[in-house]
């Protein structure tokens, strides 16, 4: 049975590649800024590229924050991708400017402590047993990352009851998180070839 998925259009880029990847994974996909459609869909995808503050400004202008929060509270699935994952946290600190996030996950987003930034390209991840997103994927599966900022306290997030997948670039950082109806990936599954497609199918199967 095809699942109805909305990719939330709040002015961020990368919408069409996400739409195509989800459609290939078997979803019935709509890209829209219609908050009623976002609330009613089987699954809501929050994409994001660029700066944390700019993405939060787009979400706030659209008034999408409460819709995302209400879905999570009601157990309705949400998937954040890249900066769309980062804005789910309490705050983002970029260039010394702290911007409030949606606060649906504990912790903050900071610059990765790595000599080479951005972290761009293919990387393996360390997914724990029990992960739904990474179920069935081999340990050496690689995903495509493009970012300079991330959540570098995976232990704190795990202590808050989340299933946390990590990757390494200068330090361990959160590559994926699952808590209740909320799932997120720091990498781009829509750009991660067969492994990304498998992850999206896992998410759709759980809707």
């Amino acid at each position: 049975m095809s699942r109805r998925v909305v990719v939330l259009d709040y002015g961020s880029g990368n919408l069409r590649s996400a739409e195509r990847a989800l459609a290939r994974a078997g979803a019935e996909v709509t890209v829209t800024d219609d908050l009623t459609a976002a609330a009613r869909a089987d699954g809501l995808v929050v994409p994001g590229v660029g700066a944390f503050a700019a993405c939060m400004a787009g979400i706030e202008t659209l008034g999408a924050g409460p819709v995302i929060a209400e879905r999570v509270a009601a157990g309705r699935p949400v998937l954040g991708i890249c900066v769309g994952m980062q804005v789910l946290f309490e705050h983002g600190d970029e260039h010394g400017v702290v911007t409030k996030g949606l606060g649906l996950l504990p912790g903050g987003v900071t610059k990765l402590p790595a000599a080479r930034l951005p972290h761009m390209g293919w990387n393996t991840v360390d997914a724990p047993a029990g992960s739904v997103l990474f179920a069935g994927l081999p340990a050496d599966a690689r995903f495509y990352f493009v970012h300079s900022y991330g959540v570098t306290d995976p232990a704190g997030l795990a202590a808050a009851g989340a299933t946390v997948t990590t990757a390494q670039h200068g330090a361990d950082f959160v590559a994926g998180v699952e808590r209740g109806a909320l799932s997120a990936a720091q990498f781009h599954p829509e750009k991660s070839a067969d492994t990304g497609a498998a992850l999206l199918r896992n998410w759709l199967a759980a809707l």
Side-chain angles (χ1 to χ4, degrees), residues 12 40 126 160 165 178 202:
S12 176
R40 292 177 176 174
D126 184 10
T165 294
E178 302 159 64
N202 283 344

Side-chain angles (χ1 to χ4, degrees), residues 52 72 85-92 101-110 150-164 174 177-179 182:
F52 186 106
V72 173
M85 167 183 142
Q86 294 179 0
V87 297
L88 300 172
F89 287 84
E90 292 170 324
H91 60 84
L102 295 174
L104 299 176
L105 292 169
V109 177
T110 57
V151 178
T152 56
D153 183 20
L157 188 56
T163 298
V164 181
V174 176
V177 58
E178 302 159 64
R179 190 171 75 169
L182 189 57

Side-chain angles (χ1 to χ4, degrees), residues 8-9 11 14-15 28 31 34 67 71 85 111-113 170-171 178 198 202:
L8 185 65
D9 182 1
N14 212 40
L15 301 173
E28 178 186 326
V31 176
D34 183 336
V67 173
R71 283 189 63 96
M85 167 183 142
K111 191 173 183 179
L112 295 176
E178 302 159 64
N202 283 344

Side-chain angles (χ1 to χ4, degrees), residues 121-134:
W122 297 85
N123 203 346
T124 57
V125 302
D126 184 10
S131 168
V132 173
L133 288 181
F134 296 90

